[in-house]
Every structure is written in C-alpha cells, then in structure tokens.
Amino acid sequence: VKGIRCALCSDSYSAKMTRAHNDSNMLAMGARVIGVEVAKEIVAAWLDTPFEGGRHQVRMAYILNKEDLAKAVLVLRKALEAYNQSAPA
C-alpha cells in the first residue's frame, strides 16, 4: 500500500531503529512470538522514537519516488491497454 512503511519487530531496539532510520509508520508483531509485556515495551519504544532524517532522508525520498514511479507505470499501462482495445484491427 502506497505510503505504508511497516516494520515487523520482536524487540524494542528494532522498533527504535525502524522509526529512527526508516520512518516506519506501521508496527507489526507476531502474537505467538511476543509476550504482552514485551509487546508493550516495543510499542512504547516505537512511539517514543522520532525519525532522525539526515542521511536517512535520502533513502526515504528514493522510496517515495519509486512509489510514484510505480503508480505512473500502472496508469500508463492501463491507458495503453485501453487504446489497444479500442484501436481498429
């Protein structure tokens, strides 16, 4: 889904790093892998950690541009398909 940067985390360190370096905006955890207290620690670490920006911003800009490019390619493909279907044989 465009704009979603989901991180699968099983510890608070990973949660901090995905927020700080990758600006994750969705958190996923395995219910059978993590206990309730560890899950609370992970959520707290994830919510309390801001995106650092800086050198990581370059990567995020690249990812966002790739998403826009992928959308543009899909639109162009659909337009080409519609054109090919309506063109006389």
Side-chain angles (χ1 to χ4, degrees):
V1 176
K2 182 178 179 178
I4 297 295
R5 294 175 304 282
C6 187
L8 175 61
C9 297
S10 57
D11 58 79
S12 57
Y13 178 78
S14 297
K16 289 178 187 178
M17 292 298 100
T18 63
R19 288 285 289 159
H21 294 183
N22 298 325
D23 197 20
S24 64
N25 57 10
M26 182 178 277
L27 178 62
M29 295 177 279
R32 295 182 182 177
V33 178
I34 300 169
V36 173
E37 293 306 313
V38 173
K40 289 178 184 178
E41 292 173 12
I42 292 169
V43 170
W46 189 77
L47 289 173
D48 292 341
T49 304
F51 177 51
E52 289 179 1
R55 65 188 174 101
H56 307 295
Q57 187 64 44
V58 174
R59 179 177 54 254
M60 297 314 305
Y62 176 79
I63 290 169
L64 294 173
N65 286 335
K66 286 293 232 182
E67 288 178 346
D68 290 340
L69 179 60
K71 181 179 178 182
V73 167
L74 288 174
V75 168
L76 288 172
R77 282 185 181 162
K78 286 182 181 180
L80 182 59
E81 287 173 8
Y83 172 78
N84 288 335
Q85 289 176 356
S86 65

